[in-house]
Amino acid sequence: MSKRLLKAEDLYVLNSITNPQLSPSGEEAVFVRTSIDEEKNKYIAHLFHLDLTSGAVTQWSYGEDRVSSPTWSADGRNVAFVSNRNEKKQIYIISKNGGEARQLTTLANGVSQFQWSPCGQSIWFSGRLKEGKNFTDVAEKEEKKKPTAYIVEGMKYKADSIGLLSQDSYNHIGKIDVASGDIELFSEGNHNYSLEAVSHDGKKLVLSVNRAENKDFDFSQQLLLVDIETKKETTILNEEGNYGDAYFSYDDRYIAFYGGNHSYKNATHGAVYIYDTEEQNYRNLTEGFDAPIGDLAVADHQQGATAPTVVWTKANDLYFQVSTMGDIRLYYATLDGAIYPASPENEHVYGYDIERDGAFALLAISNPIMPGELFKYDVTTGERQQITHFNDAFVNEVELVQPEAITYKSSDGFDVYGWLMKPAQYEEGKKYPLIVEIHGGPHAMYANSFFHEMQLIAAQGYGVLYVNPRGSHGYSQAFVDAVRGDYGGGDYADIMAGLDAVIENQDWIDTDRLGVTGGSYGGFMTNWIVGHTNRFKAAVTQRSISNWISFFGVSDIGYYFSDWQIGTDMKDVEKLWQHSPLKYAENVETPLLILHSEKDFRCPIEQAEQLYITLKSMGKETQFVRFPDADHNLSRTGLPNLRIERLNQITGWFEKYL
């Protein structure tokens, strides 16, 4: 029986399987399945239990809300998780023996993080508190108030997906007694704390905090080892950069944590660091490893997929994800710095946990023609067994296109990697249009992962080319840094060289029907492309940057991101203008569809407004689509109906002009 073509509405059919967590015994696990309720236009995430001996999968939570962060107690009797079933995110506990989940916290502002105390009798957590308040204070009754002025003094006053930041509340650490519900406030002062780790003996915490008075240009992170009884702090490190996500070894001697200094600003490769609590020093375990630690892939399917930076075994070996050569693979390391790949190529390990003795792993795996399932994986033999089958019906019913990996040389000798998809139901001898997709970041990467949007475009009868130009993660530090200060230079050349390479080698591509699209940095590049070449017959720019001069002041990150990426600030507006696609608007002859979210604080909608009005005033072929109640992440986590509308706008524009 022939398979059907994929549709935009298949978003409602797909299941996102994430967050596998092995029990202390290694005999069972929990995970989260997220789906979309079309009628209610919302995401629903439930907790599931997995018996690894029998393979039985059992749903543990129900309702119309979302759960996240499932975590076993040290004795394996209970699982705590976060749910928004009562509006604010609160901690719930469910027994492995069954029964209803019990709500543990009723905090006025909800919970942002939590970790079990090893004794199982209490849970450490973090949440926001107004200045002078305690977690035990009763929530003030919400009354309709008159609007008040928001007085801005600092530069970090807003954030995408949040809006204006609270000026009188801070993230604090507390501990709650599981039996009584009594809460103790642990952290002090008007600072934002992050709970990073709890030691296995229950005597120490790792916290991160920035106590600088003026944080506008201060990107330092202080990582602290704190004695719970005395509150004595030992500084693990205090440096410019991004550090945190710590994990104690089972013997509590070592603390592994994630970090990246600011040598290359936000293009710096993330690394695994090891702190020795006896020697009181730290070192970069992956220093000689020229690839970033963690999952840097961009896609549009997985919901709430989080993975630990590091998982220890009892033998003090470590496992972690590495983004490398278009894959996200599991790697194994020893404390003396030996590092080896522990999972195969050509896939995306987007979640994992390791049995304590290192006997096996539980992996959440996706590839371009598999949306994602859980697998039990023997890290020694490489044998694997698929455990969940939530997306089997979809895979068996829908024709999915396997991309072909490509490699080519850019104009200045860089090796560039990417993928080419033929149209679904491709027929030899026919000519087909081709769409070039460009990812955001720019320090992200396309990967060997399922991408609903790519498959949809192929199902519409287009070939799809997507590459990782310079600036993309997953390759060398030199490669990811090469875009900084050169937006529209070598990165543009990389993309166009990829187009030339596939046209030369694939006679099915109709060079008179080429399209291009991308979002965020990919939107910038789409704007840049149509201002510098007429090769494309249609283009769709999404959540884009068009004017670096105004971006400096309107983006939530603009005032420092512009310097990090373009290499200057408002002291040199000529350079900002030189790299602004808006400067080249008069050259645009490609019909351009402009898509933008109303609540995008990362690339604010004024970027789209400037571009649209400028092009329209010049008599160019363009259209502007605004999405209400959507932020910078519309394509990934936006309201489901708006995600469908966005996809229809993209395919409709290409259908009209190609």
Side-chain angles (χ1 to χ4, degrees), residues 372-407:
E373 301 286 359
L374 297 187
F375 292 78
K376 185 179 180 182
Y377 179 67
D378 188 314
V379 294
T380 303
T381 66
E383 294 180 12
R384 69 169 73 187
Q385 173 191 1
Q386 185 173 340
I387 301 294
T388 63
H389 297 270
F390 290 99
N391 290 302
D392 280 6
F394 168 81
V395 172
N396 292 332
E397 178 186 341
V398 177
E399 179 174 343
L400 299 173
V401 177
Q402 176 68 57
E404 173 193 350
I406 62 170
T407 308

Coordinates of all heavy atoms in Angstrom, one line a residue, residues 372-407:
G372 N 11.1 10.2 16.9 CA 11.8 10.1 18.2 C 11.1 9.0 19.1 O 9.9 9.1 19.3
E373 N 11.9 8.1 19.7 CA 11.4 7.1 20.6 C 12.5 6.8 21.6 O 13.6 7.3 21.5 CB 11.0 5.8 19.8 CG 10.0 5.9 18.8 CD 8.6 6.1 19.3 OE1 8.4 6.1 20.5 OE2 7.6 6.2 18.5
L374 N 12.2 6.0 22.6 CA 13.1 5.5 23.6 C 13.7 4.2 23.2 O 13.0 3.3 22.7 CB 12.5 5.4 25.0 CG 12.0 6.7 25.6 CD1 11.5 6.4 27.0 CD2 13.0 7.8 25.6
F375 N 15.1 4.1 23.4 CA 15.8 2.8 23.1 C 16.6 2.4 24.3 O 17.3 3.3 25.0 CB 16.7 3.0 21.9 CG 16.0 3.2 20.6 CD1 15.4 4.5 20.3 CD2 15.9 2.2 19.7 CE1 14.8 4.7 19.1 CE2 15.2 2.4 18.5 CZ 14.7 3.6 18.2
K376 N 16.6 1.1 24.6 CA 17.6 0.6 25.6 C 18.8 0.3 24.8 O 18.8 -0.5 23.8 CB 17.0 -0.6 26.3 CG 17.9 -1.1 27.4 CD 17.3 -2.3 28.1 CE 18.2 -2.8 29.2 NZ 17.7 -4.1 29.9
Y377 N 20.0 0.8 25.3 CA 21.2 0.7 24.5 C 22.4 0.1 25.3 O 22.7 0.7 26.4 CB 21.5 2.1 23.9 CG 22.8 2.2 23.1 CD1 22.9 1.6 21.9 CD2 23.9 2.9 23.6 CE1 24.0 1.7 21.1 CE2 25.1 3.0 22.8 CZ 25.1 2.4 21.5 OH 26.2 2.5 20.8
D378 N 23.0 -1.0 24.8 CA 24.1 -1.5 25.5 C 25.4 -0.8 25.0 O 25.7 -0.9 23.8 CB 24.2 -3.0 25.1 CG 25.3 -3.7 25.9 OD1 26.5 -3.1 26.0 OD2 25.1 -4.8 26.5
V379 N 26.0 0.0 25.8 CA 27.1 0.9 25.4 C 28.3 0.1 25.1 O 29.2 0.6 24.4 CB 27.4 2.0 26.4 CG1 26.2 3.0 26.6 CG2 27.7 1.4 27.8
T380 N 28.4 -1.1 25.5 CA 29.6 -2.0 25.2 C 29.5 -2.7 23.9 O 30.4 -2.6 23.1 CB 29.8 -3.0 26.3 OG1 29.9 -2.4 27.6 CG2 31.0 -3.8 26.1
T381 N 28.3 -3.3 23.6 CA 28.1 -4.0 22.4 C 27.5 -3.2 21.2 O 27.6 -3.6 20.1 CB 27.3 -5.3 22.6 OG1 25.9 -4.8 23.0 CG2 27.8 -6.1 23.8
G382 N 26.8 -2.1 21.6 CA 26.1 -1.4 20.6 C 24.7 -1.9 20.2 O 24.0 -1.3 19.4
E383 N 24.3 -3.0 20.9 CA 23.0 -3.5 20.7 C 22.0 -2.6 21.2 O 22.2 -2.0 22.3 CB 22.9 -4.9 21.3 CG 23.8 -5.9 20.6 CD 23.6 -7.3 21.3 OE1 22.6 -7.5 22.1 OE2 24.4 -8.2 21.0
R384 N 20.9 -2.4 20.5 CA 19.8 -1.6 21.0 C 18.4 -2.2 20.8 O 18.2 -3.0 19.9 CB 19.9 -0.2 20.4 CG 19.5 -0.1 18.9 CD 19.4 1.3 18.5 NE 20.6 2.0 18.4 CZ 20.7 3.3 18.2 NH1 19.6 4.1 18.0 NH2 21.9 3.9 18.1
Q385 N 17.5 -1.8 21.7 CA 16.1 -2.3 21.6 C 15.2 -1.1 21.7 O 15.3 -0.3 22.6 CB 15.9 -3.3 22.7 CG 14.4 -3.8 22.8 CD 14.2 -4.5 24.1 OE1 15.1 -4.7 25.0 NE2 12.9 -5.0 24.3
Q386 N 14.3 -1.0 20.7 CA 13.3 0.1 20.8 C 12.3 -0.3 21.8 O 11.7 -1.3 21.9 CB 12.6 0.3 19.4 CG 11.7 1.5 19.4 CD 11.1 1.8 18.0 OE1 11.7 1.4 17.0 NE2 10.0 2.5 18.0
I387 N 12.1 0.7 22.7 CA 11.2 0.5 23.9 C 9.8 1.1 23.7 O 8.8 0.5 24.0 CB 11.8 1.1 25.2 CG1 13.2 0.4 25.4 CG2 10.9 0.9 26.4 CD1 13.1 -1.0 25.8
T388 N 9.7 2.3 23.1 CA 8.4 2.9 22.9 C 8.1 2.9 21.4 O 9.0 2.9 20.6 CB 8.4 4.4 23.4 OG1 9.4 5.2 22.7 CG2 8.7 4.4 24.9
H389 N 6.8 3.1 21.1 CA 6.3 3.0 19.7 C 5.2 4.0 19.5 O 4.3 3.7 18.7 CB 5.9 1.6 19.4 CG 7.0 0.5 19.5 ND1 7.8 0.2 18.5 CD2 7.4 -0.2 20.6 CE1 8.6 -0.8 18.9 NE2 8.4 -1.0 20.1
F390 N 5.3 5.1 20.1 CA 4.2 6.1 20.0 C 4.0 6.7 18.6 O 2.9 7.1 18.2 CB 4.4 7.3 21.0 CG 4.3 6.9 22.4 CD1 5.4 6.6 23.2 CD2 3.0 6.8 23.0 CE1 5.2 6.2 24.5 CE2 2.8 6.4 24.3 CZ 4.0 6.2 25.1
N391 N 5.1 6.7 17.8 CA 5.1 7.3 16.5 C 5.1 6.3 15.3 O 5.2 6.7 14.2 CB 6.2 8.3 16.3 CG 6.0 9.6 17.1 OD1 5.0 10.3 17.0 ND2 7.0 9.8 18.0
D392 N 5.0 5.0 15.7 CA 5.1 4.0 14.7 C 4.0 4.1 13.6 O 4.2 4.0 12.4 CB 4.9 2.6 15.3 CG 6.3 2.1 15.9 OD1 7.2 2.9 15.9 OD2 6.3 1.0 16.4
A393 N 2.7 4.4 14.0 CA 1.6 4.5 13.1 C 1.9 5.6 12.1 O 1.7 5.5 10.9 CB 0.3 4.7 13.8
F394 N 2.4 6.7 12.6 CA 2.7 7.9 11.7 C 3.8 7.5 10.7 O 3.7 7.7 9.5 CB 3.2 9.1 12.5 CG 3.8 10.2 11.7 CD1 3.0 11.1 11.1 CD2 5.2 10.3 11.6 CE1 3.6 12.1 10.4 CE2 5.8 11.3 10.9 CZ 4.9 12.2 10.3
V395 N 4.9 6.9 11.2 CA 6.0 6.5 10.3 C 5.5 5.5 9.2 O 5.9 5.5 8.1 CB 7.2 5.9 11.1 CG1 8.2 5.3 10.2 CG2 7.7 7.0 12.0
N396 N 4.7 4.6 9.6 CA 4.2 3.5 8.7 C 3.2 4.1 7.7 O 3.0 3.5 6.6 CB 3.5 2.4 9.5 CG 4.6 1.6 10.3 OD1 5.7 1.5 9.9 ND2 4.1 1.0 11.4
E397 N 2.5 5.2 8.0 CA 1.5 5.7 7.1 C 2.0 6.8 6.2 O 1.4 7.0 5.1 CB 0.4 6.3 8.0 CG -0.8 6.9 7.3 CD -1.8 7.6 8.2 OE1 -1.8 7.2 9.4 OE2 -2.6 8.4 7.8
V398 N 3.0 7.6 6.6 CA 3.4 8.8 5.9 C 4.7 8.6 5.2 O 5.6 8.0 5.7 CB 3.5 10.0 6.9 CG1 4.0 11.2 6.2 CG2 2.2 10.2 7.6
E399 N 4.8 9.0 3.9 CA 6.0 9.0 3.2 C 7.0 10.1 3.7 O 6.7 11.3 3.6 CB 5.8 9.2 1.7 CG 7.1 9.2 0.9 CD 6.8 9.2 -0.6 OE1 5.7 8.9 -1.1 OE2 7.8 9.5 -1.3
L400 N 8.1 9.6 4.2 CA 9.1 10.5 4.7 C 10.4 10.4 3.8 O 10.7 9.3 3.4 CB 9.5 10.2 6.2 CG 8.3 10.3 7.2 CD1 8.7 9.8 8.5 CD2 7.8 11.8 7.2
V401 N 11.0 11.6 3.6 CA 12.1 11.6 2.7 C 13.5 11.5 3.5 O 13.7 12.3 4.4 CB 12.1 12.9 1.8 CG1 13.3 13.0 0.9 CG2 10.8 13.0 1.0
Q402 N 14.3 10.6 3.1 CA 15.6 10.5 3.7 C 16.6 11.5 3.0 O 16.9 11.4 1.9 CB 16.2 9.1 3.5 CG 17.6 8.9 4.0 CD 17.7 9.0 5.6 OE1 17.0 8.2 6.3 NE2 18.5 9.9 6.1
P403 N 17.1 12.4 3.8 CA 18.0 13.4 3.2 C 19.4 12.7 2.8 O 19.8 11.7 3.5 CB 18.2 14.4 4.3 CG 17.2 14.2 5.3 CD 16.8 12.8 5.2
E404 N 20.0 13.3 1.9 CA 21.4 12.8 1.5 C 22.4 13.8 2.0 O 22.3 15.0 1.8 CB 21.5 12.8 0.0 CG 22.9 12.5 -0.5 CD 23.0 12.8 -2.0 OE1 22.0 13.0 -2.7 OE2 24.2 12.8 -2.5
A405 N 23.4 13.3 2.8 CA 24.4 14.1 3.3 C 25.3 14.6 2.2 O 25.7 13.9 1.3 CB 25.2 13.4 4.4
I406 N 25.7 15.9 2.3 CA 26.6 16.5 1.3 C 27.7 17.2 1.9 O 27.6 17.7 3.1 CB 25.8 17.4 0.3 CG1 25.3 18.6 1.1 CG2 24.7 16.7 -0.5 CD1 24.7 19.8 0.2
T407 N 28.8 17.3 1.2 CA 30.0 18.0 1.6 C 30.6 18.8 0.4 O 30.6 18.2 -0.7 CB 31.1 17.1 2.2 OG1 30.6 16.2 3.2 CG2 32.2 17.9 2.8

